[in-house]
Amino acid sequence: MRTSGAAPAIAVLGFGALLINTMPAWIAELAARGGIVDGSAGALASLLLLCAAAACACAPRVRRSVVTWPAFAALPLSLGALAMTGSAAGLTALCAILGATLGYLSALALTAAAGTGALRLIVSRSLGIGLVVALAVYLSNAAFGASVLWMLGALALALLPVMVPLSRCAAPPPRPTLGRWTGLPVWQVPFFTMMGAYWALLELYGSGLADAGALSLWLSASLVTGALGSFIAGGIGGRLSAKLAAAALVCAALTGALSYVAPSEPVLGLSILANGFFLFLYFPLYLAGSGGDADGSSVALRMASYLLGFAAGGLIGALVLEAAGFAGLAAGIALSGFIGLKRPAGLHRS
């Protein structure tokens, strides 16, 4: 195992997990300050994830020497600017910049992690750390009223000295050939889309079963179960990883579906906890592949597929909800898990 790229990869990937898992809070912060309606706030989140997916997929074609240093600077600067900007045009542009920066740096970090020979372990640690820090950010916001955006900006600035070595240790991944693009894990995109829908609409469903405080506690606790699942994934290897990933995929889909037919708050809460556990147990196994040693190009495509699915989740979920109600949404979430088993491209080398 080569350790030179491990620390900066963990820093970037952990920060990415933090940024995405605190997105409901800082998007709400933007909406409250700028008078943005819910639909527009959701569109900003989708735009960020869509730009992240595009940048992650295209990173192998970008000249690293030209883009990397501006990307390092753009991460804290765009977060700070978001905390101060009130105009719709400014927020749109900044979310696009932040998303593209996150996607590019994630691809760079995944390339560095793949180069260490311990990709699965690094991804699992990164996600676990990011989820725990996300919980700390939520608690700080609730206890002291601290701005989530300013906290994220400060953390991004503090991480710069750790992230800078990425410019040296992450060799550019090979440009995707036609064979690599055809290895894109398309059968997992519906699953990630429905997981995006699951988290985007959960508060809407939960408001009919639990008060805001109770639901908030369940959601916060899911960060802990998610971190636990992620840390467990880091210790799984060999042939067991493919079987465990398939089981985690189906369980994440089924627990997500259960949430939308839950008859009571305890059932809803327990399903949220279980979904967090299985989703983040699955994700490191999905990214790293069957041997845990996928190359930078293929793992970047896997990350891009995940981001693309979550970017579309809110819109697709809203359409399903409008057409078929919560029962239809539950069915769609459950079905997406079995679709993901059709071709487990995330568990085989592309």
Side-chain angles (χ1 to χ4, degrees):
M1 173 180 171
R2 297 184 296 277
T3 59
S4 60
I10 289 173
V12 169
L13 296 174
F15 186 83
L18 167 65
L19 184 66
I20 290 175
N21 283 281
T22 55
M23 188 178 290
W26 61 262
I27 288 289
E29 192 174 301
L30 292 179
R33 189 185 66 245
I36 302 171
V37 298
D38 289 344
S40 297
L44 287 177
S46 295
L47 173 66
L48 185 148
L49 292 171
L50 187 61
C51 290
C56 193
C58 296
R61 297 184 175 275
V62 176
R63 287 185 60 190
R64 187 188 57 172
S65 59
V66 174
V67 176
T68 300
W69 285 96
F72 287 144
L75 196 59
L77 288 176
S78 56
L79 284 163
L82 276 170
M84 296 184 292
T85 302
S87 70
L91 292 174
T92 300
L94 287 167
C95 281
I97 292 170
L98 181 58
T101 300
L102 177 65
Y104 174 75
L105 291 179
S106 294
L108 204 63
L110 289 168
T111 302
T116 67
L119 175 61
R120 184 187 298 118
L121 182 61
I122 289 174
V123 170
S124 69
R125 285 179 177 175
S126 303
L127 290 176
I129 291 170
L131 290 168
V132 170
V133 177
L135 178 59
V137 167
Y138 277 119
L139 293 175
S140 298
N141 175 257
F144 308 110
S147 165
V148 175
L149 275 172
W150 281 118
M151 283 190 280
L152 292 175
L155 286 170
L157 193 60
L159 285 175
L160 272 178
V162 183
M163 293 191 296
V164 165
L166 278 179
S167 63
R168 299 189 297 270
C169 69
R175 294 187 177 188
T177 61
L178 180 59
R180 291 185 184 276
W181 283 109
T182 55
L184 189 74
V186 292
W187 295 109
Q188 281 70 53
V189 173
F191 169 73
F192 289 126
T193 299
M194 296 314 294
M195 284 295 99
Y198 171 79
W199 290 103
L201 299 170
L202 194 54
E203 291 191 44
L204 178 62
Y205 180 78
S207 62
L209 294 178
D211 60 72
L215 185 59
S216 178
L217 289 174
W218 288 115
L219 292 171
S220 296
S222 72
L223 295 173
V224 178
T225 59
L228 177 62
S230 181
F231 280 123
I232 290 174
I236 303 300
R239 295 180 179 178
L240 179 61
S241 64
K243 294 180 180 179
L244 183 62
L249 170 66
V250 172
C251 288
L254 292 179
T255 54
L258 176 61
S259 296
Y260 283 101
V261 292
S264 65
E265 180 201 316
V267 175
L268 172 65
L270 291 173
S271 68
I272 291 172
L273 297 185
N275 183 268
F277 175 81
F278 288 117
L279 177 60
F280 287 102
L281 174 63
Y282 171 70
F283 190 58
L285 301 173
Y286 158 81
L287 272 188
S290 58
D293 56 356
D295 63 78
S297 179
S298 62
V299 76
L301 289 178
R302 293 170 189 170
M303 176 63 89
S305 297
Y306 155 77
L307 293 167
L308 178 63
F310 266 74
L315 175 60
I316 298 299
L319 293 175
V320 173
L321 183 60
E322 180 68 23
F326 285 115
L329 183 58
I333 292 171
L335 179 62
S336 71
F338 293 97
I339 291 174
L341 293 175
K342 184 176 175 63
R343 181 190 172 207
L347 307 176
H348 296 275
R349 292 186 182 94
S350 299

